[in-house]
Structures are given as structure tokens and as C-alpha cells.
Amino acid sequence: MAMVASTVEALLSQERLIEPSAEFRERAVVNDPSIYEEASRDFEGFWAKIAEEFVTWFRKWDKVLEWTPPQPGTQPPWFKWFIGGRLNACYNCVDRHVRNWRRTKAAIIWEGEPGDERVLTYQDLHREVQKFANVLKSLGVKKGDRVTIYLPMIPELPIAMLACARIGAIHNVVFGGFSAEALRDRINDSQSKILITADGGWRRGNIVPLKRNSDEALKECPTIEKVIVVHRGVMDATHVPMVNGRDLWWHRLMEKAKLECPCEEMDSEDPLYILYTSGTTGKPKGQLHVTGGYLVGVAMTTKWVFDLKDEDIYWCTADIGWVTGHSYIVYGPLANGATVVMYEGAPDYPDRDRFWAIVEKYRVNIFYTSPTAIRTFMKWGEEYPRRHDLSSIRLLGTVGEPINPEAWLWYWEHIGEKRCPVVDTWWQTETGCIIISPLPGITTLKPGSATKPLPGFFAEVVDENGNPCSEGSQGYLILTKPWPSMSRTLWGDPERYIQTYWTRFPGFYFTGDASVKDKDGYFWLLGRVDDVINVSGHRISTMELESILVEHPAVAEAAVIGRKDEIKGQVPVGFVTIREGFTQNEQLVQELKEYVVKRIGPIARPADIFFTSELPKTRSGKIMRRLLRDIAEGRALGDTTTLTDPEVIQHLKQMYEERYGE
Ligand code: WTA
């Protein structure tokens, strides 16, 4: 399992408690603790109330929930929320706000990495989204069609997503840091008709070659009919190779687009989007989120967890290519009519104070980022935040990986100046919205713990047999009741959805995470228990890396594990055996690392690759990854008696220690 017992004990022995200030509590959106009780007493009634409060329905639902546990051989839908309800996500995020004073409110305050700025009011957003929806329609996009979006962090990205939602097309956003091959696979699996991309984007002063990657990917994407290209301006438009009859400029299409486009009336259970996540096998999983429940979940949690008020300036630093950006840059905040800051580039460009410069410039009130970013800021030192006035911040959030208490306290002290609650939010692409998190006006905080499930959500820590673990003992995190924003199935692969989430503990959702509850019922998240590693908050499947490595002509066998890393949480480390006729040398190491980058993207680059004459295996031929992890993390080797050849592992250990000079 994820963590050794001594580490868990050290975590739980943290004595530090941090209470919300009386002032914060008093003004908080939610400050009455009876809400937890209310939600568990009548869970469907609770969600009915939330759905009415947070979402505008064209037709109200007839029933809150119907579900049957997903079982092998059965087909979706297994979960139906707000049955019979009709709504449109874009209407909720845009149209309803132009009908009141928010029409002139800033929806998106955008800053490009080079320092260019754009502000879109809700009215501006309404206009752009309608026009782009008409563009999509004019290209033949209909309800249920898939549209892949591969863009940098520029306003056209949320505009394209909302335009899809408006006409009932299913968007499939692919992170701009993914390679051509990763893009190709996601386009093909979703069978998208349209690709929306850009000439490129800016990252640390360099160009991210999105159009070039797209052209590469599209050599093998038979379903794509048209490519819409935003001119971000990283290169002169005349230098962008446009394929005749296939590629169209966004700005040209928009010049001619009609201004008005009605919202499609969607059923609660109609798909809103697909988003791919790494799984335990090589093939990425297309999580399918649907309109009604998803919107209810993200709208409610945005307002409650971030204590969002109308006058706030809210900034989530994630990329929209990940679920955090979908839920907490686009749908959640915009459904609440919030003002969202969006930044294109790197935190250290031109200098390491860029984030704090942005906070000061726009007077950001709510700031949401990842533990990796926080640990990086910690390493860079306090001088960077100290250069700026951060007094506008009143709430801090973190997501994506376990946060160690030191990083939590550093964030609280040096960014929040000990004034601001820190909400550590646990959730997943699958869950759609935050599940375990403090409510900042109620919860006593413990640095390093995501605290408790929010009202309306139910989690438990169980042992192998599904029995609740006693306090302080580590187990598997499961969710014991359905929730509105849950992923409904995997695109094109319902059987895998059942296998991955619903067979380990039948009737309950298995998260794949390890956790422990303390004496106060607080949850401490301890990382993954499967073959997924978390690199800077990005999920990467070790099986996927292994299958890529063995495709390289030099590699016979490969095992990949996640090694603990002070900044990134984990990094991938590969152990490979090579074929006859190839030489083990530094050049091959570099080549293999680049090979992985080419196939997935820079986030998956192995930190290290080791050559070995054999991989440690059990007599039944299973690679003992646990032992490889012991080696990579410098621990004494666990039980080696089941190995066919215990010498192999000793040899590896020696090699590892030589490289790291232990
Ligand atoms: C991990 C990101 C500890 C966890 C929203 C989960 C966390 C996976 C936290 C989902 C947290 C996310 N504390 N671990 N606050 N938040 N995780 O799908 O292992 O990219 O299963 O969703 O990240 O990653 P995903």
C-alpha cells in the first residue's frame, strides 16, 4: 500500500489545529454545522434543494435519483440524477448572468505569458460563445457530436467549451502539454469530427507547437473533418501551414458568424464532456460527465468550498486541460457568475514572482493551486511572495496530490499571512467535483488533512474485505453513496468502468486511493494504491509507460515505478532489460526518455532509467514493483523470498546506490 506505517503515524501525530477566525466564520457562505446532519438525514432531499438553488432548469426534474450498482455484464445508465430535468450548461454559465446586473461584470480576466491582457464581461462571453456555436453549427456539428479542443490557456478555450455545451456537442479537451500521439489517440477514441487548436502557445518564453503537433496527429485521424485554428500570434499567420479544405482560421469564421444562437435543451443525463485520464492499463480512459448532475456538483462546491462571493476575484492556476480547470475555472465559477483570472504561462516567467505579481495586479481574493507548485515556491524562497502585496487574498486552496504538513503550513504562513483558511480539496476526474474538503467557515483545519466529506458526500476507509478500518489504520478510500457529478461511464468501454470502480467493493465506488481516518474522523489521503503515479498532480499510468518503453526496439522488458520526489510528489523511474545487439549507455537512456516524451508529453519524462540483466519476478512471472520502489526510495528491501532469483534485486540495489552514492 501507499505509505509505510511510520509515516502515517508521524502524520497523525500532528497536533496543530487551525480554527477559522470569528470574522471569517461570521461572513462565510456556509457557517451552520447542522448542514452535515441535514444532508445525511435526507440525502436526496438535500440534493434536490441544492439543484434548485444552484441551477436554472428549463424543466424541473421529476425524481432526484435512480441507481443500480454497476455489475459485470450490465450496461449504463446505472446512475440517473435529476430525472426528466432539462437544462443547458452554457445557459447556466453565461445567459442567465446577462439577464441581470452581472451583464457588465468581468467573467474572465485573462493574462498571456508575454503580458498581454484581455477582459471579457459576461456580455462579451455571451456574444463570443454564441458566435462560435454558430460556427460549429455551420460546420455540421450536431448534438452528441464530439469536438476535440487542443488549445493553450487563452479565452478561446472556455469559449469553445461553452459553445459546444450550448449546442449539445460533447467536448473533449486535450491538455496542450500532450504530444501528437497522445492527441491522436484521444481524437480517435472519442471519434471527434472537429479539432480546435492554435498556432501555438507560450510557456516559459518558448512556443508550444500545437499546430505542428496537430498536423502530426491528424495523419492518422480519419474522423476529423475540419480543423479550426486560433491565431494566438506565436508566429506570423502566413507562416502557419494551413491544409486546404481542412484548416480554417477561427477569426475568419467568427467575422462571418451570426450573433444569436439559441441554447439546446439538454436532458439531465445528456453527456456534457469526455475527459481522458490515465488508468492502470496502457489505454487512457474517457470519463463521461453529464449535464445536470455535473453542473449541480461543481456549482455548489465552488461556492461553498471557496466561500465565493459576488465581489471576489477568483484564480485557479490549473490548466483547463485537466479536470480541475473544467470544474473550477470554467463550469463551477461561471455557473456562480464569478470573476475568474486565467493565466497562460509558467510561474517563473519572466521571474519567480509571476503568480504574486498577478495576485497583486488583479487583487485576487481566492487562490487555488497544487502542492507541487507550493513546494516549488517553498524551494524558491519567501523573497518572491514578499515582493508583492498579497493582502487581497482571503482564502487558499490546494488540489491534486497529498500535501505534506510542512508545505501546507508554509502556504498558510507565507502566502496567506496566517489570515486565510487553507482548503485541501480531495477529488478526482471521476468524481467531477470536490468530495473531501473543509468548509472554511466551519471546519477546524489540520495541516495535511483534507478533513471530511462535504455535506451530501459519503466516504469510508475500509480494509481488504470492505470492513471499516479502525481509527489510525490505513485502508482503501471508498465512496459509499452516489453523488450527482460522478462520471457515468467510460466512453466506449462500460465494462472497464465496472471493473475499475465497482467490483473491488461491490456496491461502492472504489477511488484507488489509500487513506486513514484519525480519532476525530478526519481523512488523511495517502496516495494511490494502483499502478497510477501522481507527478505534480498529473496522473500517469506506470503500465502505460511500460508498454511505451517496450515498443522501443532496444527494450526487451520494462518496469516503471513512482519514486517519491520532494517537489513533484512522485517521478517515474524505469528499469529496463535490453535486447541483444544494443549497448547500455547514457545515449540510450536519453533516447528512451525522449521516446516517452514523444509518446505522451514532457510531464511523463522518466527521471531515471536503469538497465538490468533481469527484472525481479515472482515464480509466477509477476514483476515485483514493490521491491523496485524500495530500492528507488532507499528503503530496506521487503520480503524477497518469493523471487525466482534474489540476486537480481541485490544487484539492482547496488547499482542504484552507486548512482546515488549511498
Ligand atoms: C490525488 C485531480 C491527496 C488522488 C482533481 C486522486 C489528492 C487523484 C488530492 C486524482 C488531495 C487529488 N489530497 N490526493 N487533496 N487531490 N489527489 O483525476 O490520488 O487528476 O485519486 O483529479 O489525485 O487525480 P485527477
PDB file of all heavy atoms in Angstrom, residues 277 322-324 398-403 424-430 436 450 511-513 525-528 534 537-539, ligand 1:
ATOM      1  N   THR A 277      -8.316  10.219 -18.684  1.00  0.00           N
ATOM      2  CA  THR A 277      -7.385  10.095 -17.555  1.00  0.00           C
ATOM      3  C   THR A 277      -6.567   8.832 -17.753  1.00  0.00           C
ATOM      4  O   THR A 277      -7.006   7.908 -18.418  1.00  0.00           O
ATOM      5  CB  THR A 277      -8.114   9.882 -16.210  1.00  0.00           C
ATOM      6  OG1 THR A 277      -9.023   8.788 -16.360  1.00  0.00           O
ATOM      7  CG2 THR A 277      -8.833  11.101 -15.765  1.00  0.00           C
ATOM      8  N   TRP A 322      -7.004  19.828 -17.642  1.00  0.00           N
ATOM      9  CA  TRP A 322      -7.247  18.847 -16.591  1.00  0.00           C
ATOM     10  C   TRP A 322      -8.615  19.105 -15.977  1.00  0.00           C
ATOM     11  O   TRP A 322      -9.187  20.175 -16.153  1.00  0.00           O
ATOM     12  CB  TRP A 322      -6.182  18.948 -15.486  1.00  0.00           C
ATOM     13  CG  TRP A 322      -4.795  18.882 -16.031  1.00  0.00           C
ATOM     14  CD1 TRP A 322      -3.922  19.919 -16.149  1.00  0.00           C
ATOM     15  CD2 TRP A 322      -4.126  17.728 -16.561  1.00  0.00           C
ATOM     16  NE1 TRP A 322      -2.744  19.475 -16.707  1.00  0.00           N
ATOM     17  CE2 TRP A 322      -2.839  18.141 -16.966  1.00  0.00           C
ATOM     18  CE3 TRP A 322      -4.492  16.386 -16.705  1.00  0.00           C
ATOM     19  CZ2 TRP A 322      -1.927  17.252 -17.523  1.00  0.00           C
ATOM     20  CZ3 TRP A 322      -3.566  15.505 -17.255  1.00  0.00           C
ATOM     21  CH2 TRP A 322      -2.306  15.944 -17.651  1.00  0.00           C
ATOM     22  N   VAL A 323      -9.088  18.144 -15.203  1.00  0.00           N
ATOM     23  CA  VAL A 323     -10.446  18.290 -14.657  1.00  0.00           C
ATOM     24  C   VAL A 323     -10.561  19.511 -13.736  1.00  0.00           C
ATOM     25  O   VAL A 323     -11.603  20.151 -13.666  1.00  0.00           O
ATOM     26  CB  VAL A 323     -10.911  17.005 -13.935  1.00  0.00           C
ATOM     27  CG1 VAL A 323     -10.238  16.858 -12.574  1.00  0.00           C
ATOM     28  CG2 VAL A 323     -12.423  16.964 -13.818  1.00  0.00           C
ATOM     29  N   THR A 324      -9.477  19.835 -13.035  1.00  0.00           N
ATOM     30  CA  THR A 324      -9.540  20.986 -12.129  1.00  0.00           C
ATOM     31  C   THR A 324      -9.935  22.247 -12.894  1.00  0.00           C
ATOM     32  O   THR A 324     -10.737  23.052 -12.419  1.00  0.00           O
ATOM     33  CB  THR A 324      -8.188  21.175 -11.412  1.00  0.00           C
ATOM     34  OG1 THR A 324      -7.858  19.955 -10.755  1.00  0.00           O
ATOM     35  CG2 THR A 324      -8.247  22.298 -10.399  1.00  0.00           C
ATOM     36  N   THR A 398      -5.848  24.003  -2.257  1.00  0.00           N
ATOM     37  CA  THR A 398      -4.865  23.120  -2.883  1.00  0.00           C
ATOM     38  C   THR A 398      -5.553  21.844  -3.352  1.00  0.00           C
ATOM     39  O   THR A 398      -6.544  21.407  -2.784  1.00  0.00           O
ATOM     40  CB  THR A 398      -3.667  22.818  -1.941  1.00  0.00           C
ATOM     41  OG1 THR A 398      -3.196  21.494  -2.188  1.00  0.00           O
ATOM     42  CG2 THR A 398      -4.052  22.909  -0.506  1.00  0.00           C
ATOM     43  N   VAL A 399      -5.006  21.258  -4.415  1.00  0.00           N
ATOM     44  CA  VAL A 399      -5.608  20.076  -5.027  1.00  0.00           C
ATOM     45  C   VAL A 399      -4.606  19.287  -5.853  1.00  0.00           C
ATOM     46  O   VAL A 399      -3.642  19.848  -6.357  1.00  0.00           O
ATOM     47  CB  VAL A 399      -6.766  20.462  -5.969  1.00  0.00           C
ATOM     48  CG1 VAL A 399      -6.306  21.344  -7.113  1.00  0.00           C
ATOM     49  CG2 VAL A 399      -7.454  19.225  -6.550  1.00  0.00           C
ATOM     50  N   GLY A 400      -4.875  18.007  -5.997  1.00  0.00           N
ATOM     51  CA  GLY A 400      -4.162  17.213  -6.997  1.00  0.00           C
ATOM     52  C   GLY A 400      -3.291  16.125  -6.418  1.00  0.00           C
ATOM     53  O   GLY A 400      -3.041  15.121  -7.065  1.00  0.00           O
ATOM     54  N   GLU A 401      -2.803  16.333  -5.218  1.00  0.00           N
ATOM     55  CA  GLU A 401      -1.922  15.341  -4.591  1.00  0.00           C
ATOM     56  C   GLU A 401      -1.978  15.575  -3.094  1.00  0.00           C
ATOM     57  O   GLU A 401      -2.417  16.631  -2.649  1.00  0.00           O
ATOM     58  CB  GLU A 401      -0.465  15.494  -5.035  1.00  0.00           C
ATOM     59  CG  GLU A 401      -0.241  16.404  -6.166  1.00  0.00           C
ATOM     60  CD  GLU A 401       1.104  17.093  -6.148  1.00  0.00           C
ATOM     61  OE1 GLU A 401       2.085  16.483  -5.692  1.00  0.00           O
ATOM     62  OE2 GLU A 401       1.163  18.239  -6.581  1.00  0.00           O
ATOM     63  N   PRO A 402      -1.465  14.587  -2.349  1.00  0.00           N
ATOM     64  CA  PRO A 402      -1.392  14.813  -0.910  1.00  0.00           C
ATOM     65  C   PRO A 402      -0.471  15.998  -0.631  1.00  0.00           C
ATOM     66  O   PRO A 402       0.553  16.155  -1.287  1.00  0.00           O
ATOM     67  CB  PRO A 402      -0.759  13.520  -0.387  1.00  0.00           C
ATOM     68  CG  PRO A 402      -1.001  12.493  -1.449  1.00  0.00           C
ATOM     69  CD  PRO A 402      -0.993  13.250  -2.739  1.00  0.00           C
ATOM     70  N   ILE A 403      -0.856  16.841   0.308  1.00  0.00           N
ATOM     71  CA  ILE A 403       0.028  17.943   0.672  1.00  0.00           C
ATOM     72  C   ILE A 403       0.646  17.632   2.028  1.00  0.00           C
ATOM     73  O   ILE A 403      -0.046  17.278   2.976  1.00  0.00           O
ATOM     74  CB  ILE A 403      -0.691  19.308   0.661  1.00  0.00           C
ATOM     75  CG1 ILE A 403       0.296  20.432   1.010  1.00  0.00           C
ATOM     76  CG2 ILE A 403      -1.918  19.358   1.563  1.00  0.00           C
ATOM     77  CD1 ILE A 403      -0.173  21.824   0.626  1.00  0.00           C
ATOM     78  N   ASP A 424      -7.772  22.089   1.647  1.00  0.00           N
ATOM     79  CA  ASP A 424      -7.132  20.983   0.932  1.00  0.00           C
ATOM     80  C   ASP A 424      -8.271  20.140   0.386  1.00  0.00           C
ATOM     81  O   ASP A 424      -9.028  19.535   1.141  1.00  0.00           O
ATOM     82  CB  ASP A 424      -6.252  20.199   1.915  1.00  0.00           C
ATOM     83  CG  ASP A 424      -5.696  18.909   1.311  1.00  0.00           C
ATOM     84  OD1 ASP A 424      -5.888  18.660   0.108  1.00  0.00           O
ATOM     85  OD2 ASP A 424      -5.063  18.145   2.070  1.00  0.00           O
ATOM     86  N   THR A 425      -8.414  20.120  -0.938  1.00  0.00           N
ATOM     87  CA  THR A 425      -9.589  19.509  -1.557  1.00  0.00           C
ATOM     88  C   THR A 425      -9.226  18.196  -2.237  1.00  0.00           C
ATOM     89  O   THR A 425      -8.441  18.179  -3.169  1.00  0.00           O
ATOM     90  CB  THR A 425     -10.182  20.467  -2.611  1.00  0.00           C
ATOM     91  OG1 THR A 425      -9.213  20.681  -3.649  1.00  0.00           O
ATOM     92  CG2 THR A 425     -10.539  21.817  -1.994  1.00  0.00           C
ATOM     93  N   TRP A 426      -9.809  17.121  -1.775  1.00  0.00           N
ATOM     94  CA  TRP A 426      -9.577  15.817  -2.421  1.00  0.00           C
ATOM     95  C   TRP A 426     -10.704  15.503  -3.390  1.00  0.00           C
ATOM     96  O   TRP A 426     -11.883  15.569  -3.019  1.00  0.00           O
ATOM     97  CB  TRP A 426      -9.469  14.685  -1.391  1.00  0.00           C
ATOM     98  CG  TRP A 426      -9.270  13.361  -2.094  1.00  0.00           C
ATOM     99  CD1 TRP A 426      -8.084  12.779  -2.407  1.00  0.00           C
ATOM    100  CD2 TRP A 426     -10.299  12.504  -2.633  1.00  0.00           C
ATOM    101  NE1 TRP A 426      -8.304  11.611  -3.114  1.00  0.00           N
ATOM    102  CE2 TRP A 426      -9.641  11.426  -3.269  1.00  0.00           C
ATOM    103  CE3 TRP A 426     -11.697  12.554  -2.654  1.00  0.00           C
ATOM    104  CZ2 TRP A 426     -10.338  10.385  -3.904  1.00  0.00           C
ATOM    105  CZ3 TRP A 426     -12.390  11.523  -3.297  1.00  0.00           C
ATOM    106  CH2 TRP A 426     -11.711  10.448  -3.902  1.00  0.00           C
ATOM    107  N   TRP A 427     -10.343  15.156  -4.588  1.00  0.00           N
ATOM    108  CA  TRP A 427     -11.328  14.674  -5.580  1.00  0.00           C
ATOM    109  C   TRP A 427     -10.590  14.102  -6.766  1.00  0.00           C
ATOM    110  O   TRP A 427      -9.368  13.977  -6.730  1.00  0.00           O
ATOM    111  CB  TRP A 427     -12.309  15.776  -5.972  1.00  0.00           C
ATOM    112  CG  TRP A 427     -11.705  17.027  -6.551  1.00  0.00           C
ATOM    113  CD1 TRP A 427     -10.894  17.926  -5.914  1.00  0.00           C
ATOM    114  CD2 TRP A 427     -11.869  17.529  -7.880  1.00  0.00           C
ATOM    115  NE1 TRP A 427     -10.560  18.944  -6.776  1.00  0.00           N
ATOM    116  CE2 TRP A 427     -11.148  18.731  -7.984  1.00  0.00           C
ATOM    117  CE3 TRP A 427     -12.591  17.087  -9.009  1.00  0.00           C
ATOM    118  CZ2 TRP A 427     -11.102  19.483  -9.156  1.00  0.00           C
ATOM    119  CZ3 TRP A 427     -12.556  17.844 -10.167  1.00  0.00           C
ATOM    120  CH2 TRP A 427     -11.816  19.027 -10.236  1.00  0.00           C
ATOM    121  N   GLN A 428     -11.318  13.727  -7.811  1.00  0.00           N
ATOM    122  CA  GLN A 428     -10.731  13.051  -8.972  1.00  0.00           C
ATOM    123  C   GLN A 428     -11.471  13.450 -10.250  1.00  0.00           C
ATOM    124  O   GLN A 428     -12.604  13.933 -10.175  1.00  0.00           O
ATOM    125  CB  GLN A 428     -10.902  11.531  -8.853  1.00  0.00           C
ATOM    126  CG  GLN A 428     -10.442  10.915  -7.565  1.00  0.00           C
ATOM    127  CD  GLN A 428     -10.717   9.428  -7.526  1.00  0.00           C
ATOM    128  OE1 GLN A 428     -11.866   9.000  -7.620  1.00  0.00           O
ATOM    129  NE2 GLN A 428      -9.671   8.629  -7.383  1.00  0.00           N
ATOM    130  N   THR A 429     -10.851  13.162 -11.376  1.00  0.00           N
ATOM    131  CA  THR A 429     -11.543  13.376 -12.653  1.00  0.00           C
ATOM    132  C   THR A 429     -12.890  12.642 -12.627  1.00  0.00           C
ATOM    133  O   THR A 429     -13.899  13.155 -13.101  1.00  0.00           O
ATOM    134  CB  THR A 429     -10.681  12.840 -13.825  1.00  0.00           C
ATOM    135  OG1 THR A 429      -9.373  13.379 -13.700  1.00  0.00           O
ATOM    136  CG2 THR A 429     -11.267  13.251 -15.163  1.00  0.00           C
ATOM    137  N   GLU A 430     -12.878  11.461 -12.057  1.00  0.00           N
ATOM    138  CA  GLU A 430     -14.086  10.647 -11.987  1.00  0.00           C
ATOM    139  C   GLU A 430     -15.178  11.289 -11.138  1.00  0.00           C
ATOM    140  O   GLU A 430     -16.364  11.134 -11.417  1.00  0.00           O
ATOM    141  CB  GLU A 430     -13.773   9.282 -11.356  1.00  0.00           C
ATOM    142  CG  GLU A 430     -12.910   8.359 -12.177  1.00  0.00           C
ATOM    143  CD  GLU A 430     -11.411   8.627 -12.005  1.00  0.00           C
ATOM    144  OE1 GLU A 430     -11.032   9.730 -11.552  1.00  0.00           O
ATOM    145  OE2 GLU A 430     -10.626   7.725 -12.335  1.00  0.00           O
ATOM    146  N   ILE A 436     -13.918  15.552  -0.571  1.00  0.00           N
ATOM    147  CA  ILE A 436     -13.432  15.696   0.805  1.00  0.00           C
ATOM    148  C   ILE A 436     -12.708  17.030   0.905  1.00  0.00           C
ATOM    149  O   ILE A 436     -11.748  17.279   0.168  1.00  0.00           O
ATOM    150  CB  ILE A 436     -12.473  14.551   1.192  1.00  0.00           C
ATOM    151  CG1 ILE A 436     -13.177  13.199   1.007  1.00  0.00           C
ATOM    152  CG2 ILE A 436     -11.982  14.716   2.631  1.00  0.00           C
ATOM    153  CD1 ILE A 436     -12.302  11.994   1.333  1.00  0.00           C
ATOM    154  N   ALA A 450      -7.268  16.539   4.377  1.00  0.00           N
ATOM    155  CA  ALA A 450      -8.348  17.160   3.596  1.00  0.00           C
ATOM    156  C   ALA A 450      -9.628  17.240   4.438  1.00  0.00           C
ATOM    157  O   ALA A 450     -10.671  17.652   3.942  1.00  0.00           O
ATOM    158  CB  ALA A 450      -8.577  16.390   2.305  1.00  0.00           C
ATOM    159  N   THR A 511     -12.027   4.358  -5.042  1.00  0.00           N
ATOM    160  CA  THR A 511     -11.297   5.522  -5.549  1.00  0.00           C
ATOM    161  C   THR A 511      -9.911   5.185  -6.079  1.00  0.00           C
ATOM    162  O   THR A 511      -9.349   5.964  -6.834  1.00  0.00           O
ATOM    163  CB  THR A 511     -11.087   6.548  -4.414  1.00  0.00           C
ATOM    164  OG1 THR A 511     -10.264   5.925  -3.406  1.00  0.00           O
ATOM    165  CG2 THR A 511     -12.396   6.991  -3.801  1.00  0.00           C
ATOM    166  N   GLY A 512      -9.330   4.065  -5.615  1.00  0.00           N
ATOM    167  CA  GLY A 512      -7.939   3.773  -5.975  1.00  0.00           C
ATOM    168  C   GLY A 512      -6.945   4.470  -5.061  1.00  0.00           C
ATOM    169  O   GLY A 512      -5.746   4.364  -5.257  1.00  0.00           O
ATOM    170  N   ASP A 513      -7.443   5.171  -4.041  1.00  0.00           N
ATOM    171  CA  ASP A 513      -6.558   5.872  -3.104  1.00  0.00           C
ATOM    172  C   ASP A 513      -6.505   5.165  -1.756  1.00  0.00           C
ATOM    173  O   ASP A 513      -7.471   4.534  -1.332  1.00  0.00           O
ATOM    174  CB  ASP A 513      -7.074   7.298  -2.837  1.00  0.00           C
ATOM    175  CG  ASP A 513      -6.608   8.282  -3.900  1.00  0.00           C
ATOM    176  OD1 ASP A 513      -6.432   7.869  -5.058  1.00  0.00           O
ATOM    177  OD2 ASP A 513      -6.430   9.461  -3.559  1.00  0.00           O
ATOM    178  N   LEU A 525      -5.189  11.607   3.216  1.00  0.00           N
ATOM    179  CA  LEU A 525      -5.039  10.918   1.942  1.00  0.00           C
ATOM    180  C   LEU A 525      -3.587  10.528   1.746  1.00  0.00           C
ATOM    181  O   LEU A 525      -2.693  11.339   1.969  1.00  0.00           O
ATOM    182  CB  LEU A 525      -5.500  11.812   0.793  1.00  0.00           C
ATOM    183  CG  LEU A 525      -7.012  11.931   0.579  1.00  0.00           C
ATOM    184  CD1 LEU A 525      -7.654  10.551   0.542  1.00  0.00           C
ATOM    185  CD2 LEU A 525      -7.706  12.800   1.583  1.00  0.00           C
ATOM    186  N   LEU A 526      -3.371   9.287   1.332  1.00  0.00           N
ATOM    187  CA  LEU A 526      -2.010   8.758   1.330  1.00  0.00           C
ATOM    188  C   LEU A 526      -1.500   8.365  -0.044  1.00  0.00           C
ATOM    189  O   LEU A 526      -0.470   7.713  -0.170  1.00  0.00           O
ATOM    190  CB  LEU A 526      -1.934   7.552   2.273  1.00  0.00           C
ATOM    191  CG  LEU A 526      -2.432   7.802   3.703  1.00  0.00           C
ATOM    192  CD1 LEU A 526      -2.491   6.494   4.480  1.00  0.00           C
ATOM    193  CD2 LEU A 526      -1.537   8.797   4.423  1.00  0.00           C
ATOM    194  N   GLY A 527      -2.212   8.730  -1.108  1.00  0.00           N
ATOM    195  CA  GLY A 527      -1.721   8.396  -2.451  1.00  0.00           C
ATOM    196  C   GLY A 527      -2.423   7.181  -3.030  1.00  0.00           C
ATOM    197  O   GLY A 527      -3.300   6.585  -2.405  1.00  0.00           O
ATOM    198  N   ARG A 528      -1.998   6.792  -4.217  1.00  0.00           N
ATOM    199  CA  ARG A 528      -2.673   5.735  -4.964  1.00  0.00           C
ATOM    200  C   ARG A 528      -2.264   4.344  -4.482  1.00  0.00           C
ATOM    201  O   ARG A 528      -1.149   4.141  -4.010  1.00  0.00           O
ATOM    202  CB  ARG A 528      -2.309   5.839  -6.448  1.00  0.00           C
ATOM    203  CG  ARG A 528      -2.574   7.183  -7.065  1.00  0.00           C
ATOM    204  CD  ARG A 528      -4.010   7.444  -7.347  1.00  0.00           C
ATOM    205  NE  ARG A 528      -4.626   6.375  -8.111  1.00  0.00           N
ATOM    206  CZ  ARG A 528      -5.877   6.444  -8.588  1.00  0.00           C
ATOM    207  NH1 ARG A 528      -6.615   7.522  -8.367  1.00  0.00           N
ATOM    208  NH2 ARG A 528      -6.388   5.469  -9.269  1.00  0.00           N
ATOM    209  N   ASN A 534       1.413   9.868  -9.403  1.00  0.00           N
ATOM    210  CA  ASN A 534       0.946  11.236  -9.445  1.00  0.00           C
ATOM    211  C   ASN A 534       2.167  12.155  -9.526  1.00  0.00           C
ATOM    212  O   ASN A 534       2.868  12.350  -8.551  1.00  0.00           O
ATOM    213  CB  ASN A 534       0.139  11.483  -8.164  1.00  0.00           C
ATOM    214  CG  ASN A 534      -0.646  12.765  -8.243  1.00  0.00           C
ATOM    215  OD1 ASN A 534      -0.195  13.737  -8.855  1.00  0.00           O
ATOM    216  ND2 ASN A 534      -1.808  12.780  -7.626  1.00  0.00           N
ATOM    217  N   GLY A 537       0.752  16.318  -9.578  1.00  0.00           N
ATOM    218  CA  GLY A 537      -0.705  16.368  -9.684  1.00  0.00           C
ATOM    219  C   GLY A 537      -1.233  15.810 -10.996  1.00  0.00           C
ATOM    220  O   GLY A 537      -2.424  15.831 -11.237  1.00  0.00           O
ATOM    221  N   HIS A 538      -0.349  15.301 -11.855  1.00  0.00           N
ATOM    222  CA  HIS A 538      -0.814  14.690 -13.098  1.00  0.00           C
ATOM    223  C   HIS A 538      -0.767  13.184 -12.975  1.00  0.00           C
ATOM    224  O   HIS A 538       0.235  12.607 -12.578  1.00  0.00           O
ATOM    225  CB  HIS A 538       0.054  15.123 -14.279  1.00  0.00           C
ATOM    226  CG  HIS A 538       0.116  16.604 -14.441  1.00  0.00           C
ATOM    227  ND1 HIS A 538       1.242  17.263 -14.826  1.00  0.00           N
ATOM    228  CD2 HIS A 538      -0.824  17.543 -14.234  1.00  0.00           C
ATOM    229  CE1 HIS A 538       0.997  18.562 -14.853  1.00  0.00           C
ATOM    230  NE2 HIS A 538      -0.250  18.759 -14.499  1.00  0.00           N
ATOM    231  N   ARG A 539      -1.879  12.567 -13.323  1.00  0.00           N
ATOM    232  CA  ARG A 539      -1.937  11.112 -13.194  1.00  0.00           C
ATOM    233  C   ARG A 539      -1.266  10.453 -14.370  1.00  0.00           C
ATOM    234  O   ARG A 539      -1.603  10.722 -15.507  1.00  0.00           O
ATOM    235  CB  ARG A 539      -3.393  10.677 -13.158  1.00  0.00           C
ATOM    236  CG  ARG A 539      -3.978  10.814 -11.803  1.00  0.00           C
ATOM    237  CD  ARG A 539      -5.457  10.807 -11.886  1.00  0.00           C
ATOM    238  NE  ARG A 539      -5.964   9.494 -12.258  1.00  0.00           N
ATOM    239  CZ  ARG A 539      -7.253   9.188 -12.164  1.00  0.00           C
ATOM    240  NH1 ARG A 539      -8.123  10.072 -11.729  1.00  0.00           N
ATOM    241  NH2 ARG A 539      -7.669   7.995 -12.511  1.00  0.00           N
TER     242      ARG A 539
HETATM  243  C1  WTA B   1      -4.915  12.617  -5.966  1.00  0.00           C
HETATM  244  C2  WTA B   1      -7.465  15.886  -9.705  1.00  0.00           C
HETATM  245  C3  WTA B   1      -4.443  13.920  -1.777  1.00  0.00           C
HETATM  246  C4  WTA B   1      -5.596  11.314  -5.579  1.00  0.00           C
HETATM  247  C5  WTA B   1      -8.589  16.706  -9.067  1.00  0.00           C
HETATM  248  C6  WTA B   1      -6.679  11.179  -6.631  1.00  0.00           C
HETATM  249  C7  WTA B   1      -5.217  14.050  -3.937  1.00  0.00           C
HETATM  250  C8  WTA B   1      -6.016  11.753  -7.856  1.00  0.00           C
HETATM  251  C9  WTA B   1      -5.864  15.278  -3.644  1.00  0.00           C
HETATM  252  C10 WTA B   1      -6.990  12.322  -8.847  1.00  0.00           C
HETATM  253  C11 WTA B   1      -5.732  15.800  -2.315  1.00  0.00           C
HETATM  254  C12 WTA B   1      -6.245  14.745  -5.707  1.00  0.00           C
HETATM  255  N1  WTA B   1      -5.019  15.081  -1.435  1.00  0.00           N
HETATM  256  N2  WTA B   1      -4.517  13.383  -3.007  1.00  0.00           N
HETATM  257  N3  WTA B   1      -6.282  16.951  -1.952  1.00  0.00           N
HETATM  258  N4  WTA B   1      -6.489  15.677  -4.764  1.00  0.00           N
HETATM  259  N5  WTA B   1      -5.468  13.771  -5.220  1.00  0.00           N
HETATM  260  O1  WTA B   1      -8.069  12.738 -11.648  1.00  0.00           O
HETATM  261  O2  WTA B   1      -4.678  10.270  -5.666  1.00  0.00           O
HETATM  262  O3  WTA B   1      -6.126  14.349 -11.905  1.00  0.00           O
HETATM  263  O4  WTA B   1      -7.092   9.857  -6.832  1.00  0.00           O
HETATM  264  O5  WTA B   1      -8.013  14.783 -10.314  1.00  0.00           O
HETATM  265  O6  WTA B   1      -5.153  12.789  -7.352  1.00  0.00           O
HETATM  266  O7  WTA B   1      -6.309  12.982  -9.886  1.00  0.00           O
HETATM  267  P1  WTA B   1      -7.122  13.704 -11.033  1.00  0.00           P
END
